[in-house]
Amino acid sequence: MMDWKLIEPWEYAVTHVASEYHRKFKMIELEDIRQTLYEWFPAHINKFTEWNELGGRDAKNLIYRSLRNYALDYCQYQKAKSLGYDVSDLYYYDPVIVEALLPAVLRSEWGVTHKLNLGRPGRPSAPNEGGNLQAMMIEVDSAYHKLSTEDKQLLFLRYAESMEYADIAKELELVSPDATRMRTTRVIRKLVRLMGGLKPWVDRDFTDTKETEETEDSLQEEEYK
């Protein structure tokens, strides 16, 4: 049983994440999400203890990220249960797949789907395992038009015009090619979130301070200031 005094300083994070996912999954009670998030702490006592000792932004980023993943996993399960489908039926867009589709989408090349092969071992190649690349392109196009004008311009130059990051930086008066590349990565992740978000990862606790699951670096990067 964890000492409440250790969890209490993170009550604001639990409240923030619970409110965020209650807005996304309105059919689930806010308090139910909050109580589920509190379960994360004793279930990941080793991970929490190590991260908590880091302090500052590092601790905040890591704990927020896991809480968001925990909330998403719980909310998707509850939504599936209430609507009568299985969570395994959900399809998640990989950023790599979105990048592969963007040139054809932004150039309105709807007839090139037969040339695209996005299948990966162990993963469905399209929503509902139907292999319908055109349906995927339509979803990407719909999400693209929800972006800001600046974000759309950045993606268009990169994927429709095939411009290099250095040239895009000059065109849009951005700081540097590296900054342009990182911003492009963030915009791609925005697209993925607009189409349902990244797939929750299996968030197991670790028992050795050197053991960090698959690699924390490979997980979704979010900063909470």
Side-chain angles (χ1 to χ4, degrees):
M1 193 73 179
M2 283 191 68
D3 187 344
W4 169 251
K5 291 181 181 179
L6 292 174
I7 302 175
E8 190 174 16
W10 294 99
E11 188 172 8
Y12 76 95
V14 169
T15 299
H16 180 273
V17 174
S19 298
E20 178 182 347
Y21 279 83
H22 176 59
R23 290 193 297 272
K24 295 178 180 179
F25 296 87
K26 297 184 184 299
M27 75 290 296
I28 303 172
E29 294 292 335
L30 175 63
E31 190 58 31
D32 289 343
I33 302 174
R34 276 172 50 85
Q35 291 304 314
T36 297
L37 290 179
Y38 281 122
E39 295 172 4
W40 179 87
F41 294 90
H44 300 81
I45 188 168
N46 295 298
K47 186 177 287 188
F48 170 64
T49 300
E50 181 177 322
W51 291 351
N52 195 41
E53 289 175 355
L54 291 174
R57 181 178 292 181
D58 288 339
K60 194 173 184 180
N61 285 346
L62 290 166
I63 291 171
Y64 253 105
R65 186 171 60 188
S66 276
L67 287 175
R68 286 167 61 90
N69 183 69
Y70 209 68
L72 178 60
D73 197 30
Y74 171 75
C75 289
Q76 287 185 335
Y77 173 79
Q78 293 298 326
K79 180 180 178 181
K81 185 177 178 181
S82 66
L83 297 179
Y85 64 87
D86 194 279
V87 177
S88 63
D89 293 336
L90 294 174
Y91 178 81
Y92 298 93
Y93 281 96
D94 188 302
V96 174
I97 291 178
V98 172
E99 287 188 273
L101 289 169
L102 272 170
V105 169
L106 298 183
R107 295 168 186 161
S108 298
E109 296 174 345
W110 301 99
V112 303
T113 54
H114 63 285
K115 299 179 181 179
L116 298 173
N117 181 10
L118 307 182
R120 288 183 165 191
R123 296 187 185 182
S125 59
N128 301 319
E129 301 179 356
N132 192 341
L133 294 179
Q134 191 159 29
M136 295 170 74
M137 291 174 67
I138 290 171
E139 288 194 37
V140 172
D141 183 62
S142 176
Y144 171 79
H145 282 92
K146 294 176 183 177
L147 295 172
S148 67
T149 300
E150 294 78 10
D151 286 345
K152 285 189 288 188
Q153 186 177 16
L154 175 65
L155 292 187
F156 190 86
L157 292 177
R158 177 61 181 167
Y159 296 100
E161 300 292 337
S162 301
M163 289 177 62
E164 298 294 332
Y165 289 120
D167 295 328
I168 297 173
K170 290 179 182 178
E171 178 76 18
L172 301 182
E173 299 182 349
L174 300 176
V175 176
S176 68
D178 280 344
T180 304
R181 176 182 54 78
M182 290 188 287
R183 180 175 167 185
T184 302
T185 298
R186 289 195 295 271
V187 176
I188 292 294
R189 288 183 176 274
K190 282 185 187 178
L191 273 179
V192 173
R193 286 195 293 272
L194 287 168
M195 292 185 291
L198 295 168
K199 184 176 182 178
W201 67 88
V202 178
D203 190 14
R204 299 187 182 91
D205 196 20
F206 51 74
T207 56
D208 187 315
T209 55
K210 294 181 181 179
E211 182 187 350
T212 56
E213 275 301 292
E214 301 162 320
T215 57
E216 289 296 341
D217 292 339
S218 68
L219 302 179
Q220 180 179 4
E221 295 177 2
E222 294 283 353
E223 286 190 2
Y224 300 89
K225 300 179 181 179

